Amino acid sequence: MAACAIRRGFLTTIIKYNKKHTHRILSIIEGSRGLVSKRPRFPCLACDLPNIQQRRFMSSRNRPEGKVLETVGVFEALKQHGKYETGQLFLHSVFGYRGIVLFPWHARLYDRDVTPPVSDSKPDPPGSHGSKEVKGETHTYYQVLIDTRDCPHISQRSQTEAVTFLANHDDSRALYAIPGLDYVSHEDILPYNSTEQVPIQHELFERFLIFNPAKNPPFSARDTLKAWQEKNHPWLELSDVHRESTENIRVTVIPFYMGMREAQNSHVYWWRYCIRLENMGNEVVQLRERHWRIFSLSGTLETVRGRGVVGREPVLSKEQPAFQYSSHVSLQAPSGHMWGTFRIERTDGSHFDVRIPPFSLESNKDDKAPPAGYTF
């Protein structure tokens, strides 16, 4: 009898993978009740597709109240070498959602938990907290679509509208997002297969992918996906990943360049950065405060302090060990650095600071206009 992998709670716990057996995948579909925000439809010229739902950056909260088991597919062997292809179905090993691979990115991973040789270390940016930046190792990440059925159940642990774009009009602070788009590390992919022709529910699934039973995986990229990737490459590209752990709390940062805007006779450069906090230990902790230092090539150094992150103070436990969010920063210079700390509270009320690894903010050399199609 096949052993089962089950996602529980907020889709975060997965039964250990056993290579010697075939596994059916059971997902928990949780009934929810709460605020539902309506998404206006408007043409999306960025992907040259009509009627793609997009909306301004906003959030809603849902409370799971019921659970129903549903078979979604059969596990496949993990790839220890090489990369997963376009059309690969997977479960996210940390957040548990169903997804499908669109295309891979090759990033440089700077892991400060790995002690570098002296010759490979680089000096820190001005004013940083003193650890050394190691030599980057190539690592594979994937651009993926998230199944919209799972989005409400992971919204408290990971933003499902984190991939944002600058609007292409004079309002330099207007941001737009494609819901259900994410970046996933190779080790977070738990591959599976399904006999369904449309196994993932997402409004871009059938516009980007076509069923091809003669292929493995049986989904191929349409010309629309290839054109969308090529056209939006500068705003989607993942190049550097930074990672560092403090007292079993690992912080991973991925910066993305968003483009340049002219404002009051000066240039303003925008970046978004995705941060994942993960509790690698057994102790329950809660994020309470953030402390950022932002250095600009123009010579300015800014300090930012505040409660929580994106309006939340997430609890990190063994059952729900990770929290992922995105935010934005702008500089009046084409490059800079960011670093800082998160203040973490233990259950006994004591605190400790978790280091945020320094990371560069670099603008693209061939600075192009942000993607078209994000105005009404």
Side-chain angles (χ1 to χ4, degrees):
M1 181 177 179
C4 296
I6 302 177
R7 296 184 293 162
R8 298 185 182 278
F10 281 101
L11 311 175
T12 57
T13 304
I14 298 180
I15 297 298
K16 292 182 179 179
Y17 187 81
N18 185 339
K19 296 181 182 178
K20 297 181 180 179
H21 298 85
T22 299
H23 295 249
R24 283 187 306 145
I25 303 173
L26 299 180
S27 69
I28 291 179
I29 308 301
E30 301 175 271
S32 60
R33 183 180 303 163
L35 295 175
V36 179
S37 55
K38 296 182 179 179
R39 297 180 180 177
R41 290 180 176 269
F42 52 90
C44 173
L45 300 181
C47 48
D48 296 321
L49 301 172
N51 297 325
I52 302 302
Q53 289 184 1
Q54 298 176 352
R55 61 174 172 174
R56 287 184 181 272
F57 208 74
M58 55 193 301
S59 63
S60 61
R61 294 185 179 182
N62 298 275
R63 295 186 178 184
E65 296 179 353
K67 300 178 181 179
V68 179
L69 290 177
E70 178 187 21
T71 302
V72 298
V74 178
F75 269 132
E76 295 180 340
L78 299 175
K79 281 197 173 184
Q80 303 298 331
H81 305 285
K83 65 180 185 296
Y84 296 104
E85 302 296 330
T86 296
Q88 177 64 61
L89 295 168
F90 70 92
L91 292 182
H92 194 292
S93 67
V94 176
F95 297 112
Y97 63 71
R98 289 163 287 185
I100 191 165
V101 170
L102 295 181
F103 44 81
W105 293 111
H106 296 293
R108 293 185 300 274
L109 174 61
Y110 297 93
D111 192 344
R112 288 168 176 260
D113 297 336
V114 178
T115 303
V118 176
S119 60
D120 287 343
S121 63
K122 299 179 181 180
D124 283 340
S128 63
H129 52 67
S131 59
K132 297 298 181 182
E133 184 172 357
V134 301
K135 182 179 180 181
E137 299 292 339
T138 301
H139 194 72
T140 303
Y141 277 72
Y142 301 94
Q143 193 90 63
V144 306
L145 291 181
I146 303 173
D147 195 308
T148 56
R149 292 169 293 185
D150 295 339
C151 286
H153 314 306
I154 64 171
S155 62
Q156 297 300 308
R157 312 306 300 175
S158 178
Q159 292 175 332
T160 57
E161 294 187 343
V163 181
T164 53
F165 298 86
L166 288 179
N168 61 349
H169 54 73
D170 292 339
D171 183 1
S172 63
R173 290 184 175 273
L175 301 175
Y176 295 92
I178 299 177
L181 199 64
D182 199 6
Y183 295 82
V184 180
S185 173
H186 183 85
E187 65 264 23
D188 287 338
I189 297 283
L190 294 177
Y192 73 93
N193 59 55
S194 171
T195 57
E196 297 181 55
Q197 292 192 23
V198 186
I200 299 295
Q201 290 188 13
H202 191 287
E203 55 200 341
L204 290 175
F205 179 86
E206 292 185 275
R207 293 175 172 89
F208 280 172
L209 298 159
I210 185 171
F211 183 68
N212 181 359
K215 181 179 174 294
N216 185 27
F219 301 97
S220 300
R222 292 182 183 269
D223 290 341
T224 48
L225 174 58
K226 298 174 183 177
W228 183 77
Q229 177 188 5
E230 181 179 355
K231 186 172 185 178
N232 295 287
H233 182 278
W235 324 111
L236 295 170
E237 182 179 9
L238 179 156
S239 57
D240 292 347
V241 179
H242 302 266
R243 180 186 294 167
E244 185 170 3
S245 297
T246 308
E247 296 194 32
N248 289 323
I249 305 299
R250 186 166 68 185
V251 179
T252 303
V253 185
I254 309 175
F256 299 87
Y257 179 57
M258 297 179 67
M260 181 269 292
R261 281 282 182 267
E262 293 187 9
Q264 298 178 348
N265 298 322
S266 65
H267 292 170
V268 179
Y269 299 84
W270 283 83
W271 292 264
R272 74 177 184 273
Y273 52 92
C274 178
I275 292 187
R276 175 163 142 184
L277 293 99
E278 191 166 4
N279 188 350
M280 311 301 290
N282 297 320
E283 187 177 20
V284 178
V285 297
Q286 185 170 11
L287 188 154
R288 289 300 192 184
E289 299 176 8
R290 68 188 185 279
H291 177 202
W292 281 107
R293 306 295 295 275
I294 306 168
F295 176 78
S296 171
L297 186 64
S298 62
T300 61
L301 180 62
E302 181 181 2
T303 298
V304 178
R305 292 180 181 270
R307 295 285 295 182
V309 291
V310 293
R312 301 182 188 179
E313 297 179 23
V315 175
L316 304 177
S317 64
K318 189 174 182 179
E319 292 72 28
Q320 296 185 352
F323 179 79
Q324 183 171 293
Y325 75 97
S326 287
S327 191
H328 307 85
V329 63
S330 63
L331 301 176
Q332 290 186 333
S335 64
H337 287 89
M338 289 181 65
W339 65 96
T341 56
F342 292 122
R343 174 63 56 91
I344 304 295
E345 183 179 58
R346 301 184 180 93
T347 53
D348 62 5
S350 62
H351 298 83
F352 63 97
D353 287 336
V354 170
R355 292 185 297 274
I356 305 171
F359 57 96
S360 298
L361 302 172
E362 300 291 344
S363 59
N364 292 356
K365 293 181 180 179
D366 53 340
D367 193 28
K368 303 175 182 178
Y374 290 89
T375 55
F376 294 98

